[in-house]
């Protein structure tokens, strides 16, 4: 499933860092976030949204002058793992799991909502019902928006639920931690997004992507057109993991995302390359919440550190770890606890998500 990327992003793409529209973007305190160079920031675009046959939203040029090194250093100093600790406590108090429709899920949601409110967001619950086997289940997604143009909405999400057989701390407490810490970081830096970011915590991914599918199904045609892209993170701390990015253009695997997905892939690779961190591509194989967005024609991308695949010798040379052992031997098991996570990898993947989110949040319209 995982292969080393066949090419290195050309250095000429660094020129994109200078192509953002120059303007002044100061925080409420009057200071510029330190991940933006002094001379360059981005401003919101103007004009009516347009839809193409393969892209459901107006183009955004991924050219925000965000400093990848500064973002990584910031996340190295952030306590991203505290979210995993909180979700582990929730699972311990709720029969060992946080599955959708259970008290464990409710308690997980309350933790996320409390964190978002403390950071200055106003989270809302998007309720829905679905069927799990012969059971009717009531559940909900959590959504929280930044400021910025709704004509160019960037959705950043990961599933909040676990399987019923375990606490789901890597799958997908780690993704929740990455999304949540990205949201907190954006507020703390004083970023003023040109484009609205919607942070999403999905229910029922472990059943059949019911939460994310409900969200996409409820979008009007105009709202689909205004959704510029979707960033997904599902497993970001695999104990024997790798740094992988979804193959947006299908150049390494057979399945490509809608037009615009290649640019997302390049933005994520750029983060790792500018920080001298190896990374590789992974396919869009229909295995996570990106699937409903791709089916709707919305460009997508995301991050993944691996599950049941065995680590190769080449991957050991690139990332360390143990050859021949699963990237996550506790995938969908009761042993997917906080001990089943890689704290350093979590910080790196969270920083990559934050970098891509900021890049598009501050991007001009293409």
């Amino acid at each position: 499933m995982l292969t080393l990327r066949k090419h290195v992003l050309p250095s000429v793409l660094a020129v994109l860092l200078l192509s953002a529209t120059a303007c002044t973007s100061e925080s409420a305190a009057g200071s510029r976030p330190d991940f933006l160079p002094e001379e360059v920031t981005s401003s919101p675009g103007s004009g009516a949204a347009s839809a193409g046959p393969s892209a459901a939203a107006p183009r955004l040029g991924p050219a925000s002058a965000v400093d990848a090194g500064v973002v990584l250093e910031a996340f190295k100093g952030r306590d991203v793992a505290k979210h995993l600790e909180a979700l582990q406590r929730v699972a311990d108090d709720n029969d060992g799991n946080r599955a959708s429709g259970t008290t464990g899920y409710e308690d997980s949601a309350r933790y996320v909502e409390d964190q978002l409110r403390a950071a200055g967001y106003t989270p809302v619950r998007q309720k829905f019902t679905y069927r799990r086997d012969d059971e009717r289940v009531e559940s909900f997604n959590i959504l929280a928006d930044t400021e910025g143009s709704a004509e160019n909405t960037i959705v950043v999400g990961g599933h909040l639920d676990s399987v019923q057989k375990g606490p789901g701390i890597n799958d997908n407490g780690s993704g929740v931690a990455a999304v949540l810490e990205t949201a907190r970081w954006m507020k703390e830096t004083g970023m003023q997004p040109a484009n609205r970011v919607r942070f999403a915590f999905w229910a029922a991914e472990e059943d059949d992507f019911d939460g994310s599918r409900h969200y996409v199904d409820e979008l009007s045609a105009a709202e689909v057109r205004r959704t510029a892209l979707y960033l997904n993170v599902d497993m970001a701390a695999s104990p024997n993991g790798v740094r992988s990015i979804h193959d947006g253009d299908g150049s390494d695997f057979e399945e490509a995302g809608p037009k615009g997905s290649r640019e997302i892939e390049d933005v994520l690779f750029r983060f790792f390359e500018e920080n001298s961190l190896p990374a590789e591509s992974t396919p869009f194989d229909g295995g996570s919440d990106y699937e409903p967005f791709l089916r709707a024609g919305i460009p997508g991308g995301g991050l993944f550190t691996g599950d049941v695949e065995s680590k190769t010798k080449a991957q050991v040379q690139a990332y360390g770890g143990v050859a021949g052992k699963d990237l996550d031997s506790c995938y969908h098991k009761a042993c997917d606890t906080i001990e089943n996570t890689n704290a350093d990898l979590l910080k790196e993947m969270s920083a990559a998500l934050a970098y891509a989110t900021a890049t598009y949040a501050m991007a001009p319209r293409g």
Side-chain angles (χ1 to χ4, degrees):
M1 178 177 178
L2 299 172
T3 63
L4 291 177
R5 181 161 167 142
K6 296 182 177 67
H7 61 279
V8 175
L9 194 65
S11 60
V12 71
L13 280 178
V15 174
L16 288 176
L17 293 173
L18 302 178
S19 65
T21 303
C23 73
T24 300
S25 177
E26 298 182 350
S27 70
S31 61
R32 183 184 304 274
D34 60 3
F35 58 84
L36 294 176
E38 186 65 26
E39 71 280 9
V40 182
T41 56
S42 299
S43 63
S46 60
S50 61
S54 62
R59 296 282 196 277
L60 287 180
S64 172
V66 179
D67 189 312
V70 171
V71 176
L72 179 59
E73 285 305 310
F75 272 77
K76 285 181 178 179
R78 300 184 72 86
D79 187 8
V80 188
K82 71 178 182 180
H83 305 306
L84 305 187
E85 294 166 0
L87 294 175
Q88 180 69 66
R89 289 193 296 270
V90 167
D92 291 344
D93 292 341
N94 289 278
D95 299 322
N97 76 83
R98 305 179 299 99
S100 191
T102 68
T103 56
Y105 184 82
E106 172 66 31
D107 289 350
S108 298
R110 289 179 181 175
Y111 172 77
V112 168
E113 290 166 333
D114 287 347
Q115 289 289 309
L116 290 169
R117 290 191 187 100
Y121 293 93
T122 305
V124 297
R125 293 187 176 190
Q126 182 189 41
K127 298 180 180 180
F128 65 97
T129 60
Y130 68 100
R131 298 200 69 83
R132 180 166 59 209
D133 298 326
D134 295 327
E135 177 188 11
R136 187 174 180 83
V137 181
E138 295 183 357
S139 196
F140 56 89
N141 302 317
I142 301 172
L143 308 173
D145 291 350
T146 69
E147 296 180 352
S149 173
E151 293 299 311
N152 300 283
T153 296
I154 297 122
V155 183
V156 180
H159 71 89
L160 180 57
D161 63 315
S162 75
V163 293
Q164 297 181 68
K165 295 181 180 180
I169 303 304
N170 185 35
D171 182 20
N172 185 39
S174 62
V176 169
V179 176
L180 189 53
E181 202 60 20
T182 294
R184 286 163 45 85
W185 170 78
M186 285 182 66
K187 284 288 189 181
E188 291 174 14
T189 59
M191 186 190 300
Q192 295 178 328
N195 309 298
R196 179 173 70 178
V197 179
R198 172 164 289 169
F199 295 105
F201 302 84
W202 309 119
E205 188 271 356
E206 296 293 3
D207 293 309
D208 190 22
F209 321 137
D210 293 275
S212 55
R213 186 168 58 248
H214 175 77
Y215 174 84
V216 173
D217 287 347
E218 289 295 299
L219 295 176
S220 67
E223 288 170 330
V224 170
R225 288 193 298 271
R226 291 195 292 265
T227 304
L229 63 134
Y230 175 62
L231 296 174
N232 190 69
V233 56
D234 190 351
M235 302 177 67
S238 303
N240 196 36
V242 298
R243 306 178 196 95
S244 67
I245 296 162
H246 287 293
D247 182 20
D249 64 352
S251 61
D252 294 336
F253 299 93
E254 294 181 357
E255 296 296 326
K259 190 173 182 180
S261 300
R262 168 57 193 255
E263 288 75 12
I264 301 169
E265 179 187 3
D266 284 344
V267 166
L268 288 164
F269 268 110
R270 187 168 70 209
F271 170 83
F272 291 115
E273 288 161 0
E274 292 190 2
N275 283 296
S276 300
L277 294 171
E280 60 191 70
S281 58
T282 190
F284 280 129
D285 60 2
S288 193
D289 288 301
Y290 54 74
E291 185 67 12
F293 289 87
L294 301 186
R295 287 184 177 274
I298 295 169
L303 298 162
F304 177 58
T305 54
D307 46 34
V308 296
E309 297 79 19
S310 295
K311 199 165 207 175
T312 67
K313 292 181 179 179
Q315 288 172 329
V316 171
Q317 290 179 341
Y319 310 107
V322 181
K325 183 179 179 181
D326 288 357
L327 301 177
D328 181 359
S329 59
C330 287
Y331 175 66
H332 283 186
K333 297 179 181 178
C335 59
D336 186 10
T337 65
I338 195 166
E339 285 76 25
N340 186 54
T341 58
N342 182 324
D344 290 336
L345 186 57
L346 175 62
K347 289 186 177 185
E348 293 166 354
M349 301 302 276
S350 299
L353 182 69
Y355 173 81
T357 302
T359 294
Y360 281 104
M362 303 299 291
R365 288 175 57 133

